[in-house]
């Protein structure tokens, strides 16, 4: 919507954020005649976080080439203490966070470990997204299949958190090889809403 504040905490080249911008141009071109929307679009709507300085530069260029004048791109390790104050800020998160990564506990911000005690980056990023969303905020995130079926305590704790305390809207299972040659792992898209009070009833699969 035109009021959304969109974040990608693992922004890379900012492709998801650019896609949101393109969505408005393709479907709601009339919004750009409104001063208030233009101001929000250029300065407040988009936030990207990225650890890699080169990616950050490419992302900034990508967004400016697509007409987003002053995107907020932050060079930060999203999972670390430096990002601890990013909470309850965004109404929409779109992300394809890194899989297969493993971090030491002491490098991870403490509140994320309370949600699920794990070293796996894909689970930590999900905990991060729950923290960063406003109540009522939506999230669509690409995860490896292990997040859906993994049997470790951390996997179970995270699934329980999303299903029981928030609203799991949909899971889109994708065939393996979608991300080849970068990764051959089977993936899925999880779509959920942060409610804090549950609400998972029927899940579209």
């Amino acid at each position: 919507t035109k009021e959304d504040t969109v974040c990608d905490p693992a922004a890379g080249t900012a492709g998801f954020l650019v896609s949101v911008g393109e969505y408005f141009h393709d479907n709601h071109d009339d919004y750009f005649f409104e001063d208030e929307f233009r101001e929000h679009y250029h300065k407040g709507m988009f936030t990207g976080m990225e650890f890699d300085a080169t990616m950050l530069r490419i992302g900034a260029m990508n967004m400016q080439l697509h007409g987003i004048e002053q995107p907020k791109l932050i060079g930060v390790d999203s999972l670390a203490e430096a990002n601890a104050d990013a909470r309850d800020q965004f109404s929409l998160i779109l992300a394809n966070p890194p899989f297969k990564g493993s971090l030491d506990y002491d490098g991870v911000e403490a509140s994320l470990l309370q949600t699920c005690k794990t070293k796996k980056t894909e689970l930590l990023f999900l905990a991060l997204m729950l923290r960063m969303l406003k109540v009522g905020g939506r999230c669509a995130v690409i995860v490896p299949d292990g997040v859906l079926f993994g049997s470790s305590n951390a996997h179970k704790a995270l699934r329980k958190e999303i299903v029981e305390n928030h609203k799991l809207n949909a899971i889109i299972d994708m065939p393996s090889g979608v991300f080849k040659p970068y990764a051959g792992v089977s993936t899925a898209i999880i779509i959920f809403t942060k409610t804090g009070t549950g609400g998972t009833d029927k899940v579209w699969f």
Side-chain angles (χ1 to χ4, degrees):
T1 66
K2 59 164 80 167
E3 290 85 23
D4 268 324
T5 47
V6 188
C7 178
D8 183 345
T13 56
F16 280 2
L17 299 176
V18 164
S19 297
V20 173
E22 297 294 282
Y23 170 84
F24 283 109
H25 283 291
D26 293 344
N27 296 282
H28 299 290
D29 222 15
D30 51 318
Y31 288 178
F32 290 93
F33 295 119
E34 301 169 22
D35 291 344
E36 193 180 343
F37 175 75
R38 276 204 317 275
E39 174 80 7
H40 176 54
Y41 179 86
H42 288 302
K43 294 182 180 171
M45 182 175 271
F46 301 101
T47 303
M49 297 171 179
E50 176 53 53
F51 185 54
D52 184 312
T54 308
M55 287 287 184
L56 208 61
R57 285 203 294 274
I58 296 171
M61 183 175 74
N62 194 9
M63 293 186 77
Q64 284 172 336
L65 287 172
H66 283 87
I68 300 161
E69 287 168 9
Q70 294 177 15
K72 218 157 63 199
L73 289 172
I74 305 163
V76 67
D77 179 350
S78 295
L79 300 173
E81 289 289 349
N83 195 32
D85 55 347
R87 49 182 75 232
D88 308 320
Q89 277 182 333
F90 304 103
S91 65
L92 181 61
I93 289 181
L94 303 171
N96 179 11
F99 311 154
K100 297 283 178 230
S102 171
L103 303 170
D104 289 334
Y105 289 139
D106 55 7
V108 177
E109 198 270 314
S111 72
L112 302 181
L113 295 173
Q114 285 167 2
T115 305
C116 64
K117 191 159 170 46
T118 181
K119 297 181 179 184
K120 287 187 174 295
T121 48
E122 60 266 30
L123 297 179
L124 291 167
F125 265 101
L126 278 168
L128 172 76
M129 290 167 201
L130 282 170
R131 193 190 75 198
M132 287 169 59
L133 281 170
K134 295 175 177 169
V135 172
R138 296 106 62 221
C139 177
V141 54
I142 298 170
V143 296
D145 266 359
V147 171
L148 307 182
F149 307 115
S151 56
S152 79
N153 289 340
H155 284 92
K156 290 176 184 167
L158 192 82
R159 290 198 294 265
K160 185 174 173 174
E161 172 70 21
I162 291 177
V163 170
E164 293 186 4
N165 297 337
H166 303 283
K167 183 178 180 186
L168 179 60
N169 302 80
I171 291 172
I172 303 165
D173 203 23
M174 297 194 286
S176 61
V178 170
F179 291 104
K180 277 186 173 164
Y182 307 104
V185 61
S186 295
T187 52
I189 306 169
I190 297 184
I191 299 171
F192 61 86
T193 305
K194 177 175 176 174
T195 62
T197 56
T200 304
D201 181 18
K202 293 185 166 73
V203 179
W204 190 79
F205 190 92

